[in-house]
Amino acid sequence: MNDTGTNGGPAPAGGGFDFNHSTIISLCYLASFITGISGLVGIVLAYVWRKDAAASWEASHYAYHIRTFWIGFIGSIIGGVLMIVLVGFLILLAVAVLVVVRSVLALLAAQKHEPMPNPDSWTI
């Protein structure tokens, strides 16, 4: 049985859920839709942990998570301001979907220890 991940990192023990740093940040972002504050915890962790990235796949995840936060933050501000003309509701919905999709994609890739294909993208 092979006990290493796709890029040489350790695979989750027994095929279980691996709580690596990228997974924790993704879960913080997803939980922010319920708590409202855990996204701030996620961005702080991403900035702190990116200096200690042990593998190349982790470095791409930190860049991806940081970009995801700023997309969500800026998009929410724009959507909030444009709620005056009712377009903001659609923008807020689109931003929420984008943040959820990016967080889930990062979560899935982190479980496989794979790098994010395009961490500097503003889209998926």
Side-chain angles (χ1 to χ4, degrees):
M1 182 174 184
N2 188 0
D3 63 349
T4 61
T6 304
N7 291 328
F17 197 75
D18 183 16
F19 282 102
N20 54 49
H21 289 169
S22 182
T23 298
I24 292 169
I25 296 168
S26 290
L27 292 175
C28 283
Y29 286 172
L30 292 171
S32 70
F33 288 99
I34 297 169
T35 65
I37 193 81
S38 63
L40 293 174
V41 174
I43 189 66
V44 169
L45 291 176
Y47 275 113
V48 169
W49 285 340
R50 79 175 172 172
K51 296 178 186 106
D52 300 329
S56 63
W57 70 268
E58 289 178 323
S60 72
H61 277 265
Y62 295 133
Y64 193 78
H65 286 305
I66 290 168
R67 182 68 50 108
T68 299
F69 175 83
W70 289 113
I71 289 170
F73 183 74
I74 293 168
S76 296
I77 290 174
I78 292 170
V81 168
L82 291 177
M83 285 177 65
I84 296 169
V85 292
L86 302 179
V87 177
F89 293 106
L90 294 174
I91 292 173
L92 288 174
L93 179 63
V95 168
V97 168
L98 184 64
V99 169
V100 167
V101 169
R102 285 178 64 100
S103 296
V104 169
L105 290 175
L107 181 68
L108 294 173
Q111 290 301 299
K112 298 175 191 173
H113 293 193
E114 295 177 349
M116 296 309 297
N118 193 3
D120 294 328
S121 172
W122 283 83
T123 61
I124 298 170

